[in-house]
């Protein structure tokens, strides 16, 4: 079975092209290897370039179709001179996008500058590494938990180049030996998990032979839609790193319900492509490592460390199937002396740029370097193009804020995990600023406390406001005494009611009369105590607003007292005449209603006065 493979609009009119500059070069040998063992596609090409013309040649053009170039994450070219064990060390060559005239449409061209001009008959060998993301398309696009993940990859068996190719071969490396289908053309061989195309000879410029492979790929397609790394420098000896991950499984989307039983009992069948765990390779001597999300700390993690590395294995709260998402944060501290250095009067941070997790595709990678407050003369050195700008972050005891260098890279892959440098100037005396601020703050606080304790901040005793305050305080004190007396009266009322309940229980009329007699004496004494208090409030201008309520309370309490005494006399008289309980209740029913209403009014007035 073959897979149909297409290339977005590629119309080559080679017969009409006349490019004399390109005709001087030929590719005498091309060896290509496509690595499909992970979601990141790596294409390694070894090109032997030969100058067949008379003019000196200083650049080589590389060609990538536009539909692949949009997924190109990393492209590098290195020299590969020498033979066998005597090969020279690889030297990276400058690569840039160019737009040569008269080229076929739907192609992107890159120029590789040679270390020296290539004369007539001379050859030069270079290695080209192209890394692509999102180049493997799940097919089918949706699978159940029990299904394996199948993907499709499309490319060309012939090396697409503006030069004539004498000999070319291609090897496609797959993760598994199981291949659903692949394109079979001339000189195609398969051996285990590798498919070999070629060799092909004497290929004209822009030769293109589409191929496709449909194969099993159960490795998780972990994609970080956004990764924000914040690296905060403290000159007190620590570098704090905080990484915020927003991950999605970019493989075939999961269809149907998730079965935890199948997932745990048949781990290699139920969810073979699910993300079970992730391993972050942190720098040596990492400490204070944490792993958490919006809910809180996640305990499913393991940490291993030695003198060369620190590995953090983390498990998400749930296994990630195709299309599933998760977000979490990793943080750790590092010794400052391992990453901060000095050169030519400036300090510089030397740190890795990319993600500490292997084979993770990062759609948007943002690296923030937070420098100490007061840093000046800031510059950045990154080995590849990035967007760059500067922000300001305020933390504890900051005055003007800390400068933050922000670097943004889209479509990042592990090849971008290279070291970058942030240079800046910082005075060591600036480190004393925050301790001095703390000392000064506490000193001023204590001085203010001493002044407050020894200063007389009272208002002048002859001022009208002070006198008015004293008068109001006296009014409040009198009202408080007034409330206490009223409450004592209400307490005696309650005891008077209690004596009637005792009478109904024991029938002892004499004891009830004796209790009333003692209560009468107490109520008369309290009434006498209320008169001077009421007279003071009536004479005080400050009490003019509250005086009506006080007078109303006195009248209500007096009325309540009279009603209680009348009720008491009625009940005692009934017991003396041997009247029945029902008859006594009927005689005092109306009195009891009035007593209840009056008691409620008295309580309301007390609450009102209490609020004042």
């Amino acid at each position: 079975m073959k897979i149909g493979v297409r290339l977005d609009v590629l119309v080559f009119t080679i017969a009409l092209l006349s490019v004399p500059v390109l005709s001087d070069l030929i590719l005498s040998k091309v060896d290509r290897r496509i690595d499909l063992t992970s979601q990141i596609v790596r294409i390694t090409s070894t090109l032997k370039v030969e100058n067949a013309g008379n003019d000196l040649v200083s650049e080589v053009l590389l060609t990538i179709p536009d539909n692949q170039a949009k997924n190109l994450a990393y492209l590098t070219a290195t020299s590969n001179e020498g033979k066998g064990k005597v090969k020279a060390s690889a030297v990276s060559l400058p690569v840039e996008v160019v737009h040569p005239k008269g080229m076929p449409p739907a192609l992107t061209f890159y120029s590789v500058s040679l270390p020296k001009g290539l004369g007539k008959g001379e050859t030069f060998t270079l290695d080209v590494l192209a890394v692509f993301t999102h180049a493997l398309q799940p097919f089918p696009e949706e699978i159940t938990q029990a299904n394996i993940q199948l993907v499709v990859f499309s490319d060309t068996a012939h090396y697409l180049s503006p030069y004539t190719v004498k000999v070319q071969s291609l090897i496609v490396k797959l993760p598994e030996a199981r291949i659903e289908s692949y394109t079979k053309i001339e000189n195609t061989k398969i051996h285990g998990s590798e498919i070999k195309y070629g060799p092909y000879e004497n290929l004209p410029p822009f030769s293109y032979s589409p191929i496709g492979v449909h194969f099993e790929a159960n490795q998780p397609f972990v994609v970080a839609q956004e990764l924000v790394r914040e690296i905060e420098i403290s000159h007190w000896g620590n570098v704090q790193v905080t990484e915020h991950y927003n991950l999605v499984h970019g493989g075939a989307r999961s269809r149907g319900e998730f079965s935890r039983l199948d997932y745990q009992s048949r781990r290699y069948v139920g969810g073979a492509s699910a993300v079970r765990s992730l391993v972050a390779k942190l720098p040596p001597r990492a400490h204070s490592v944490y792993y958490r999300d919006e809910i809180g700390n996640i305990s499913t993690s393991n940490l291993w460390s030695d003198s060369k590395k620190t590995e953090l294995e983390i498990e998400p709260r749930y296994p990630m199937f195709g299309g599933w998402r998760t977000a979490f944060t990793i943080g750790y501290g590092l010794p400052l002396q391992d990453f901060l250095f000095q050169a030519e009067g400036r300090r510089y941070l030397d740190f890795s740029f990319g993600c500490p997790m292997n084979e993770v595709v990062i759609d948007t990678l943002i690296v923030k370097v937070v420098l100490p407050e007061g840093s000046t003369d800031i510059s950045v050195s990154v080995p590849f193009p990035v967007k760059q700008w500067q922000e300001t972050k305020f933390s504890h005891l900051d005055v003007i804020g800390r400068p933050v260098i922000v670097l943004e890279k889209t479509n990042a892959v592990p090849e971008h995990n290279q070291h970058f440098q942030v240079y800046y100037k910082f005075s060591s005396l600036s480190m004393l600023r925050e301790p001095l601020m703390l000392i000064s703050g506490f000193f001023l606080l204590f001085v203010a406390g001493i002044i407050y304790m020894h200063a007389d901040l009272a208002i002048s005793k002859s001022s009208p406001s002070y006198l008015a305050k004293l008068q109001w305080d006296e009014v409040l004190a009198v009202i408080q005494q007034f409330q206490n007396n009223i409450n004592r009266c209400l307490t005696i009322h309650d005891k008077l009611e209690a004596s009637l309940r005792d009478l109904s229980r024991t029938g002892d009329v004499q004891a009830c009369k004796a209790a009333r007699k003692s209560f009468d004496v107490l109520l008369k004494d309290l009434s006498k105590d209320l008169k001077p208090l009421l007279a003071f409030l009536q004479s005080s201008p400050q009490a003019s607003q509250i005086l009506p309520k006080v007078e109303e309370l006195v009248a209500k309490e007096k009325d309540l007292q009279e009603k209680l005494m009348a009720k008491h006399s009625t009940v005692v008289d009934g017991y003396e005449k041997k009247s029945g309980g029902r008859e006594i209740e009927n005689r005092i029913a109306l009195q009891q209603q009035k007593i209840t209403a009056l008691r409620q009014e008295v309580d309301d007035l007390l609450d009102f006065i209490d609020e004042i």
Side-chain angles (χ1 to χ4, degrees), residues 191-203:
H191 180 71
S193 59
E194 289 186 350
I195 304 174
K196 183 176 182 181
Y197 290 94
Y200 303 111
E201 299 180 354
N202 300 322
L203 301 177

Side-chain angles (χ1 to χ4, degrees), residues 3 49 57 63-64 111 146-147 155 176 195 238 243 262 282 286 288 304 359 386 388-389 428 532:
I3 300 175
V49 184
V57 178
T63 307
I64 299 177
S111 172
N147 294 146
D155 205 334
E176 305 284 345
I195 304 174
N238 188 61
E243 300 173 351
D262 290 344
L282 309 180
S288 306
W304 296 274
E359 301 306 308
V386 295
Q388 176 183 336
W389 67 91
S428 298

Side-chain angles (χ1 to χ4, degrees), residues 55-284:
D55 296 334
L56 199 67
V57 178
S58 60
E59 67 174 3
V60 178
L61 291 183
L62 305 177
T63 307
I64 299 177
D66 286 350
N67 66 328
Q68 292 184 348
K70 68 181 181 182
N71 295 325
L72 180 65
Y74 185 79
L75 179 64
T76 183
T78 56
S79 63
N80 186 5
E81 291 297 286
K83 295 183 179 180
K85 298 182 178 179
V86 228
K87 282 188 178 180
S89 58
V91 177
S92 182
L93 305 176
V95 181
E96 61 178 353
V97 179
V98 293
H99 304 281
K101 297 181 180 179
M103 293 293 102
L107 292 177
T108 302
F109 290 86
Y110 299 86
S111 172
V112 179
S113 300
L114 300 179
K116 63 178 182 177
L118 203 62
K120 179 180 180 180
E122 294 181 342
T123 62
F124 183 80
T125 304
L126 68 150
D127 292 329
V128 178
L129 172 63
V131 181
F132 298 89
T133 61
H134 307 293
L136 300 181
Q137 301 302 319
F139 187 77
E141 295 182 352
E142 294 184 352
I143 58 175
T144 64
Q145 180 179 340
N147 294 146
I148 60 173
Q149 180 173 262
L150 300 174
V151 297
V152 173
F153 175 75
S154 303
D155 205 334
T156 171
H158 295 171
Y159 182 66
L160 186 59
S161 172
Y163 311 113
T164 299
V165 180
K166 286 187 176 181
V167 181
Q168 182 249 319
S169 61
L170 167 65
I171 296 177
V172 180
K173 174 64 177 175
L174 305 176
E176 305 284 345
R178 176 176 176 180
I179 304 173
E180 290 289 307
S181 60
Y182 65 96
T183 303
K184 297 179 182 179
I185 57 177
E186 182 184 2
N187 292 345
T188 303
K189 298 179 183 178
I190 184 168
H191 180 71
S193 59
E194 289 186 350
I195 304 174
K196 183 176 182 181
Y197 290 94
Y200 303 111
E201 299 180 354
N202 300 322
L203 301 177
F206 300 105
S207 178
Y208 183 77
S209 177
I211 59 171
V213 187
H214 189 202
F215 59 97
E216 178 181 350
N218 285 320
Q219 62 272 27
F221 284 20
V222 183
V223 178
Q225 293 181 317
E226 184 179 70
L227 168 57
V228 180
R229 305 185 73 203
E230 184 177 272
I231 306 164
E232 185 169 354
I233 301 174
S234 170
H235 278 245
W236 294 100
N238 188 61
V239 176
Q240 182 63 38
V241 182
T242 307
E243 300 173 351
H244 304 278
Y245 290 83
N246 188 358
L247 300 186
V248 63
H249 191 309
R253 294 190 300 273
S254 178
R255 183 180 72 245
E257 296 181 353
F258 168 65
S259 171
R260 173 68 69 173
L261 178 62
D262 290 344
Y263 175 76
Q264 293 182 337
S265 60
R266 306 169 64 194
R267 295 182 64 85
Y268 298 100
V269 178
S273 61
V275 179
R276 303 175 186 273
S277 63
L278 298 167
V279 177
K281 295 184 177 179
L282 309 180

Side-chain angles (χ1 to χ4, degrees), residues 239 283-284 334-341 348-352 419:
V239 176
L334 297 169
L336 181 67
Q337 64 270 23
D338 292 353
F339 301 93
L340 192 68
F341 308 94
Y348 69 93
L349 173 75
D350 187 30
F351 209 82
S352 59
H419 280 249

Side-chain angles (χ1 to χ4, degrees), residues 314-418:
I314 60 176
E315 293 183 17
R317 292 189 182 273
Y318 47 84
M320 289 178 59
F321 289 84
W324 291 18
R325 303 171 184 272
T326 187
F328 57 85
T329 299
I330 294 175
Y332 50 93
L334 297 169
L336 181 67
Q337 64 270 23
D338 292 353
F339 301 93
L340 192 68
F341 308 94
Q342 281 187 307
E344 300 178 356
R346 302 173 74 192
R347 305 170 191 261
Y348 69 93
L349 173 75
D350 187 30
F351 209 82
S352 59
F353 185 85
C355 174
M357 299 180 186
N358 285 335
E359 301 306 308
V360 175
V361 172
I362 308 172
D363 291 340
T364 303
L365 172 59
I366 299 175
V367 177
K368 298 182 178 182
V369 180
V370 184
L371 301 177
E373 188 178 29
S375 300
T376 58
D377 194 12
I378 303 170
S379 61
V380 182
S381 175
V382 186
F384 40 78
V386 295
K387 288 177 61 178
Q388 176 183 336
W389 67 91
Q390 186 168 327
E391 298 176 348
T392 302
K393 177 181 179 180
F394 286 89
S395 184
H396 51 275
L397 299 179
D398 287 342
V399 178
I400 60 174
R402 306 183 184 192
V404 181
I405 303 301
V406 184
L407 308 174
E408 180 177 337
K409 177 69 178 174
T410 57
N411 213 16
V413 290
E415 281 73 12
H416 289 120
N417 199 6
Q418 303 177 28

Side-chain angles (χ1 to χ4, degrees), residues 155 483 506:
D155 205 334
Q483 286 179 295
T506 63

Side-chain angles (χ1 to χ4, degrees), residues 301-315:
S301 62
N302 296 295
L303 185 68
W304 296 274
S305 61
D306 54 32
S307 58
K308 297 182 179 179
K309 65 180 183 303
T310 301
E311 288 190 357
L312 174 65
E313 181 185 18
I314 60 176
E315 293 183 17

